[in-house]
Amino acid sequence: MAAGGGGVADPLSPAGVPCAFSPLNQAYFALASADGQLRVWETANNRLHQEYVPSAHLSGTCTCLAWAPARLQAKESPQRKKRKSEAIETSNQIDLLALGTAVGSILLYSTVKGELHSKLISGGHDNKVNCIQWHQDNGCLYSCSDDKHIVEWNTQTCKVKCKWKGDNSSVSSLCISPDGKMLLSAGRTIKLWVLETKEIYRHFTGHATPVSSLIFTTIRPPNESQPFDGITGLYFLSGAVHDRLLNVWQVRSENKEKNAVMSFTVTDEPVYIDLTLSENKEEPVKLAVVCRDGQVHLFEHILNGYCKKPLTSNCTIQIATPGKGKKSTPKPIPILAAGFCSDKMSLLLVYGNWFQPIIERVALNSKEPHVCLVRDISNCWAPKVETAITKVRTPVMNSEAKVLVPGLPGHHAAIKPAPPQTEEVESKRRLGENEISIEERLGALDIDTKKEKDDLPQTNSFPVLLTQGLESNDFEMLNKVLQTRNLNLIKRTVLRMPLHAVIPLLQELTKRLQGHPNSAVLMVQWLKCVLTVHASYLSTLPDLVPQLGTLYQLMESRVKTFQKLSHLHGKLILLITQVTASEKTKAMTCPAQKAKLVYEEESSEEESDDEIAEKDSDDNWDGDEEEKESEKDEDVDEENEEEEEDAEEKDEENGEEDRDVASEKELNGDSDLDPENESEEE
């Protein structure tokens, strides 16, 4: 059963290419390449049996395929015998191959006739067909699509028998029960339908991503003593896109238990799953899982109830090229598909490339946990160049030819006028030169050689650039994407990126977090978005702890000092707020106000000389006070003159001394005034 299909542009589309082995002894292997072509290979001699190219193979590429089951043999009606032509037509139905397309149509291809048998279109799907399942008894066909519906087809009349809504989102996988009465469908959750009434019988939890494969693993319940209703007690397996765990579910009578009973762990997303059915409780189930990394994991386990720990593979098979010489190293060869043979003791391996695969039968007799097969396929991959060279014709261009440049809307390319060297060109042609040089051809095109500025990448190209940069380890490309500061752009990029690039992105972010603190601030935003958006995917990885060990240690070392830094941060905030508050109170000034009324109190008569001296020494005297002082000095001079006249009888020396003292007092601004004179002056 193939888990592949769909376009590469959708990050949630399954990996791989639609392919399947034929039900009769795996005689044929059919695969549909990405260009829509169907190729059928013979497994016995590794020869191309048939090749079919649908008319709309480019627009409606093949997304899934399924062989008609071997039980659809011609059954004669009890009423009348069929004619020979009818018997041949119904017996050839076992060779029909159903192809689902990206536009919603289903093609039925006959490998016996080598042509298209019929086409199922009317009343079917409006979107991409994700899975096709044949009913093993009545010849009906069931299909599911991105349009949320499940369709039951009548392959004889090519019409829709029934159509019903299977999920609120796209339905990605289908599987019919061994008794043919139940149908499993899955988007992200898994539902079990009753085909007769189209009602839901059981619900199961499912996966975080779209389910890509559903297979029943048992046909009998483990407890055979109880009566069997055809479905209760059976186990089935489910695998999902970008999920490394294959879950095993059991259909139980009560509707309480909806979780998986056990799981198998693989190294990468499963692209092809095949198993051998367990017919009783003692027979183990053999499981072969081909992963996207090109390895095959083989499991062998008896399904007997609940198992908490995921089971690892018993054996892993790889294929590699031989290392020729000392310098050359062996290179791995991807395994594309694997299927158990009818004896259940050997395995058919399909490896190489999709255009020229190699099919080999390998016996399963090794008990080693890891097997590496050395195969030299250098001769098989050699392209045939001779046939291509003979078909190439170089066009001859003249002055009248109009050249359309591809890629421009409407092909409106400016054409230069005919070059002046037309005579030389004509002479060259006459001389036997049938071709014009490349320089002359380019001269006829108006090609703008100006280099455009390196613009920032568009929003829709960020996931593509991020994925390419992680795969090629391009530092400049990663810088263009990871140095953005737009949070909405970061979230959209993380949502649209493929899941297989999540772990490489986390490893790249871990490296950058150890660098400069400025870049670490941006990386934290990316890390937060990745861990938030892809938490469900990361929780399914069994080896997540060793892969992100460096990131865990880095986060732990940063968080250790966080508590101390937070305490210090709180104390510093308190100090800073107190300092700023005190500075504000000091810087506050009283508003300048002018007095409406000024009251001056008269000086007392008993004012001492010291107070007068203090007033005299004041530098801020008003003009009125200066005038009063000058008047006082003049009165003092007059009084001294009167005293001199009254004391004429005294000695001249004493008079001179008195005048000197008076003059000194005048210079110093001091005067010995009697209280009577002072009152008179006032």
Side-chain angles (χ1 to χ4, degrees), residues 109 166 201 211 227 279 334 463 497 499 541 551 576 606 614:
Y109 176 76
Y201 183 71
V211 176
E279 298 181 358
M497 67 178 294
L499 291 183
L541 302 180
L551 180 60
I576 290 171
E606 298 176 353
E614 290 176 2

Side-chain angles (χ1 to χ4, degrees), residues 418-433:
Q421 298 89 0
T422 51
E423 297 179 358
E424 297 179 3
V425 173
E426 292 295 333
S427 62
K428 287 181 182 179
R429 289 179 183 170
R430 290 179 193 134
L431 293 174
E433 295 184 4

Side-chain angles (χ1 to χ4, degrees), residues 75 131 155 577:
K75 296 181 180 179
C131 184
T155 56
T577 50

